[in-house]
Amino acid sequence: MCTRNTKRERAGAGYSARRTFLKNAARALAGAGAALALGSGCETMTHDRSHADGSGPFFRTRGVVVVPEDIASWNWPEKAKEAGLTTIATHPFPAEVEAFTATDEWHAFQEACRRLGLHIEHELHAMGELLPRDLFDRNPDMFRMDEHGDRVPDWNLCVHSPQAIEVVCENLMRYAGKLRPTTGRHFYWIDDGRPMCRCPECRGLTDSEQALLLENHMADAIRRAYPGETVAHLAYLRTLDAPAQVRPHPGVFLEWAPITRRFDRSIADRDAHGDTLDSLAANIEVFGADGAQVLEYWLDESLFYRAQRPPELVKIPWHADVFHEDVDTYAGLGVRHITSFGVKVNGEYVSRFGEPPLNEYGSYLAGWRPRSR
């Protein structure tokens, strides 16, 4: 179901609402034992719940996202447990992770996570495998139209193609049956920062809204097979703005990933980040805070690696004060699920630079509590 707003409503009232939302969230954080969960109507399976008296962990997910070669070359389960994390997610492509699950390294990892009480999720760049590109010759209308009016098989899909949705959901369920998250939360992303469709039916929707249309179908398919399980809407680059004309179905939760941020300045610093935080507040207004997850890059060696010319491993630039301010800010908006990429934090990284700041990351998240006035 869609609801439509005028541009004036979206630009004027929307901005005012976001500012009010941020102010109210800040007041909630200052209050003693503030509830902070703002409600969504979307269900999610959570772990590490707070106790009724507020004495338990505030952050239900304290996670890290790594690729198979990182898992194979460093003892991630033991290190995550020592740091107070709850969850390790695999990355980046469904077929790659599926192949990894047939290896001895995977079985050892899975058993270690089970023994240590850690959850396993899969956060995946998935569109090229959910809608294989070689189907273009059979039915070009399943694929996106570019700005010149041509159907192209480069990225994503046409979300108004019933055949494309059918193929995507069929392949989704094949992978979802094999790559079972222990939390019931599924992450199958559109193409990484790439454009969506510009056909006559799609062009009136933003990339965020097109992505959400797809994710609604995905959530419906998942929940028919696995009642109560959920699917992420990734707010990232082209989809960072909150959708306005499309509403999330039950079972779609927010995952917000501020990849363009600076790491020496707090996410709440407007001189450094402009209105970035407003986008999180606006998305929470749409999706709710219950189940909302921030996907950060504090531990993402691959991000800092790619920034070098030529690319090379560097020591993670850890700014503890900035990290603390970021976490405080996210908690103030009601976010109770936080994870960070940790790609390329592996045996080679540790041999060159020593262990990453994993214990500082995990211990602050595990010990965070709402502060009294």
Side-chain angles (χ1 to χ4, degrees), residues 301-319:
E301 168 58 24
S302 71
L303 182 66
F304 308 120
Y305 169 94
R306 292 192 301 270
Q308 309 304 307
R309 294 291 181 271
E312 63 175 345
L313 289 178
V314 294
K315 190 171 184 179
I316 291 170
W318 179 253
H319 300 277

Side-chain angles (χ1 to χ4, degrees), residues 5-20:
N5 294 8
T6 66
K7 289 184 179 179
R8 177 176 297 177
E9 288 173 328
R10 293 168 67 181
Y15 179 77
S16 176
R18 288 195 294 274
R19 299 289 294 186
T20 301

Side-chain angles (χ1 to χ4, degrees), residues 148-162:
H148 307 291
D150 298 321
R151 295 285 180 179
V152 290
D154 51 2
W155 314 111
N156 292 310
L157 77 165
C158 177
V159 297
H160 284 93
S161 165

Side-chain angles (χ1 to χ4, degrees), residues 90 93-95 97-99 101 106 121-122 124 174-181 186 188:
T90 68
F93 303 105
V97 174
E98 182 183 19
T101 62
W106 167 259
E121 295 178 339
H122 307 282
L124 305 169
R174 180 169 66 85
Y175 285 116
K178 295 179 179 180
L179 304 177
R180 299 290 295 131
H186 300 261
Y188 289 88

Side-chain angles (χ1 to χ4, degrees), residues 199-213:
C199 78
E201 289 185 277
C202 290
R203 70 168 64 116
L205 299 176
T206 67
D207 284 6
S208 300
E209 291 160 351
Q210 291 185 49
L212 181 54
L213 269 180

Side-chain angles (χ1 to χ4, degrees), residues 6 8 13 22 36 50 56 94 122 125 127 154 157 177 180 191 196 202 242 285 298 367:
T6 66
R8 177 176 297 177
L22 284 168
L36 296 172
S50 300
H122 307 282
H125 296 295
M127 189 46 58
D154 51 2
L157 77 165
R180 299 290 295 131
D191 281 321
M196 297 292 284
C202 290
E285 286 186 84
W298 300 301

Side-chain angles (χ1 to χ4, degrees), residues 115-150:
R115 172 173 50 84
L116 296 168
L118 294 169
H119 285 284
I120 299 174
E121 295 178 339
H122 307 282
E123 303 210 18
L124 305 169
H125 296 295
M127 189 46 58
E129 290 165 79
L130 297 184
L131 183 64
R133 304 294 100 175
D134 59 12
L135 296 178
F136 182 76
D137 290 339
R138 184 189 310 174
N139 187 352
D141 288 345
M142 294 194 297
F143 294 83
R144 80 180 190 93
M145 182 178 285
D146 67 14
E147 291 77 2
H148 307 291
D150 298 321

